[in-house]
Amino acid sequence: MVSKKMKATSAIALSAALVLSMAACGNSNNNESKGATESKGNTATNAPDAGTTKTESGKKVTITFQNIYPDPATPSYKMLHELVDQYEKENPNIHIELDTLNTDQQKVKLKTQAASKEIPDITIVNPAAQMKPFVDAKLFAPLNDMLDQNGLKDTYQSGLLDYYSFDGNVYALPDGNNIEVVYYNKELFEQAGIADTPKTFDELLQDVKTLKAKGITPIAIGEKDSWTGSFLFMNILLRTNGGPGFLQDVLDGKKTFEDPAFIEAVDRFQDLVQAGAFPDGATSIDANAGGNIFKSGKAAMWVIGSWETGAIDASSVAGKAGAFQFPSVNGKGDPNEFMLAPGSAFAISANSEHLQETKDFLNFFTLNLPKKQFELKNAVGIGQKVDGDLKGAGYSDLAINISGLFNQVKGGDLAFDNTMNPATAQVHLSSIQNLFVQKVDSAQVAKEHQTAFEANK
């Protein structure tokens, strides 16, 4: 069974040898896509250092790789395509067919595929509670044997694979291990006359009002993909609760959603909405478009996972962005406790017609992912160990800033939908999304959550 306790800080801290982390709440480079299937060619790239495999002579195999890297402007997109091209070049009998979607599209499609037991050869899942129903339905293949090939298991950060393990078997390999931070545009802060980053929620709220008065969108978000609002909300709950563990206490029967800490978190979240913190029509903007509001220099802040560091450095706000911890709320909460986001992960269909070939490819892909991401200046936030020097490799001040925040992590919480069962999580996501549209009595929001939890235990 996957561990419900948070790992020690050392599992996610950076060492001098650059043990970095990357993900997403469920989300790695959550970008807009039409969901088209791509057919890859054979663009030549550098030879791999590890994981190259060959298939049986003359055997033609197509492997479908469902993924959430749709934006060509991001380093993760380039990583995916370069590694796939490389593998096809070295294994001409293998064709990798990419089914590329944004995060919410992929989740919906996977549920439909799971219902008919037609999981693609490789798909994307999120850790813990989100992936458990697929494991219980025996839709994913155990990957223990593949992890033992070429030393792959040892490339992952200590404890990280526990979030993707059930009954002694690992069922998915994470692309990241992240913390949620507040990215900010230094130039827009200066234009608004804001001299420093907020250390308290009241200061954050005042900055929102100041930015709004200057005609600047305070906080970018794309709440059409409802996980984004939840992820931000959970930062507030982490503070009002005075630290991690609120959802675990609910699961253990020690608290209910009608606890004052939860009600206060709803109130403070609504304070942001009512102050005009978010773009107009936020619920009609998807996560990719929401992120682009910040990356195009039109929003002052973006509360999102550290996986976006490389994408920000590849955008028009490169060199202008910094990052800070989510502030305390009414004097409560330690800024060095973060929302933790063990990343989305690669799982293999238990019913794959080409199970061994798929495992061979995923072994190659994950072995080579750290080096490729480091080359693409996108190693901040990956879930595997990377040896290298950020500054010497030309990484940005932002990336070095983020790596420093990793070193300060004292613990934190997982996202709501990685902790609660899917039915309760869906009520939560819809409830938080509704707060962008209308002001709601916070006690009623709490009651909705508690009723859903009790009905779906």
Side-chain angles (χ1 to χ4, degrees):
M1 183 69 179
V2 68
S3 171
K4 293 180 180 177
K5 304 298 182 185
M6 302 317 303
K7 306 301 171 204
T9 302
S10 61
I12 54 178
L14 295 172
S15 69
L18 186 60
V19 179
L20 295 172
S21 321
M22 172 176 167
C25 161
N27 346 93
S28 173
N29 289 325
N30 300 283
N31 298 311
E32 184 178 19
S33 167
K34 299 299 183 182
T37 298
E38 305 174 51
S39 180
K40 292 301 302 165
N42 290 329
T43 304
T45 60
N46 294 332
D49 292 332
T52 301
T53 57
K54 302 294 180 183
T55 60
E56 298 174 20
S57 177
K59 185 176 181 181
K60 303 292 185 181
V61 169
T62 295
I63 295 170
T64 302
F65 187 176
Q66 193 172 85
N67 68 90
I68 52 172
Y69 306 126
D71 188 346
T74 62
S76 289
Y77 175 97
K78 296 171 185 175
M79 173 275 298
L80 169 70
H81 284 252
E82 288 181 17
L83 290 181
V84 166
D85 287 344
Q86 180 176 327
Y87 195 80
E88 288 186 335
K89 178 179 175 61
E90 295 170 359
N91 298 272
N93 295 324
I94 298 289
H95 171 61
I96 310 298
E97 187 174 86
L98 298 178
D99 182 20
T100 300
L101 306 152
N102 73 25
T103 298
D104 273 21
Q105 289 171 337
Q106 187 270 333
K107 285 182 179 180
V108 171
K109 186 170 184 178
L110 180 59
K111 287 179 182 178
T112 301
Q113 292 168 324
S116 59
K117 298 188 183 299
E118 294 179 349
I119 301 290
D121 297 299
I122 300 173
T123 190
I124 301 294
V125 292
N126 286 297
Q130 286 200 60
M131 66 180 290
K132 189 175 186 298
F134 299 99
V135 174
D136 289 346
K138 302 187 185 306
L139 294 173
F140 295 154
L143 302 179
N144 301 43
D145 57 340
M146 190 261 276
L147 274 165
D148 290 336
Q149 295 175 12
N150 303 308
L152 178 59
K153 186 175 183 179
D154 293 335
T155 70
Y156 287 92
Q157 295 168 20
S158 176
L160 181 57
L161 292 176
D162 291 352
Y163 292 114
Y164 310 86
S165 301
F166 298 84
D167 299 324
N169 290 313
V170 180
Y171 287 94
L173 304 182
D175 64 357
N177 189 19
N178 290 272
I179 54 176
E180 189 171 22
V181 300
V182 185
Y183 293 101
Y184 74 105
N185 186 313
K186 297 176 183 179
E187 288 189 353
L188 294 183
F189 266 46
E190 185 177 347
Q191 287 177 26
I194 300 172
D196 196 8
T197 56
K199 305 301 186 294
T200 69
F201 190 83
D202 286 343
E203 290 177 359
L204 174 64
L205 200 59
Q206 183 56 54
D207 289 345
V208 163
K209 295 174 181 178
T210 299
L211 289 159
K212 187 74 174 177
K214 294 286 186 179
I216 300 169
T217 299
I219 302 175
I221 201 166
E223 181 56 11
K224 182 178 180 181
D225 296 334
S226 55
W227 63 268
T228 57
S230 169
F231 210 24
L232 193 161
F233 169 81
M234 288 299 295
N235 283 275
I236 303 175
L237 180 60
L238 178 61
R239 300 290 184 255
T240 59
N241 190 55
F246 180 86
L247 295 184
Q248 190 60 54
D249 284 346
V250 172
L251 287 168
D252 293 341
K254 298 176 182 177
K255 291 183 178 180
T256 73
F257 283 105
E258 295 176 281
D259 186 272
F262 189 85
I263 292 173
E264 183 183 4
V266 176
D267 283 334
R268 298 291 76 76
F269 185 86
Q270 293 200 98
D271 286 343
L272 287 176
V273 175
Q274 296 304 311
F278 307 110
D280 293 338
T283 57
S284 63
I285 303 169
D286 68 22
N288 175 59
N292 284 337
I293 296 172
F294 179 83
K295 290 185 285 185
S296 62
K298 297 175 183 175
M301 290 176 278
W302 188 19
V303 187
I304 201 71
S306 51
W307 63 77
E308 291 289 354
T309 303
I312 290 170
D313 280 338
S315 76
S316 63
V317 297
K320 304 175 185 177
F324 61 90
Q325 302 104 313
F326 198 87
S328 62
V329 178
N330 292 337
K332 292 179 285 188
D334 185 338
N336 290 321
E337 291 172 335
F338 292 80
M339 285 306 299
L340 306 175
S344 54
F346 309 106
I348 292 178
S349 170
N351 298 319
S352 172
E353 295 180 5
H354 311 292
L355 186 58
Q356 189 57 54
E357 291 87 351
T358 302
K359 286 184 175 182
D360 289 342
F361 165 70
L362 189 57
N363 181 270
F364 161 87
F365 183 85
T366 48
L367 276 168
N368 286 278
L369 185 150
K371 180 181 178 182
K372 181 60 66 177
Q373 291 282 45
F374 187 79
E375 291 172 356
L376 293 168
K377 306 291 191 297
N378 198 38
V380 173
I382 69 172
Q384 291 164 277
K385 302 168 188 175
V386 181
D387 292 329
D389 172 40
L390 286 174
K391 189 171 183 179
Y395 274 68
S396 69
D397 290 342
L398 176 63
I400 294 170
N401 179 184
I402 293 291
S403 73
L405 293 181
F406 272 107
N407 281 330
Q408 296 172 225
V409 174
K410 293 182 179 178
D413 278 328
L414 295 183
F416 194 104
D417 53 0
N418 285 338
T419 306
M420 289 290 172
N421 64 63
T424 303
Q426 187 54 58
V427 170
H428 163 75
L429 293 171
S430 297
S431 182
I432 297 301
Q433 187 181 57
N434 184 51
L435 300 182
F436 286 84
V437 179
Q438 60 181 339
K439 195 173 191 316
V440 182
D441 178 58
S442 56
Q444 181 60 36
V445 175
K447 184 176 181 179
E448 286 175 3
H449 279 72
Q450 187 61 26
T451 299
F453 173 71
E454 291 174 359
N456 293 288
K457 284 183 181 179

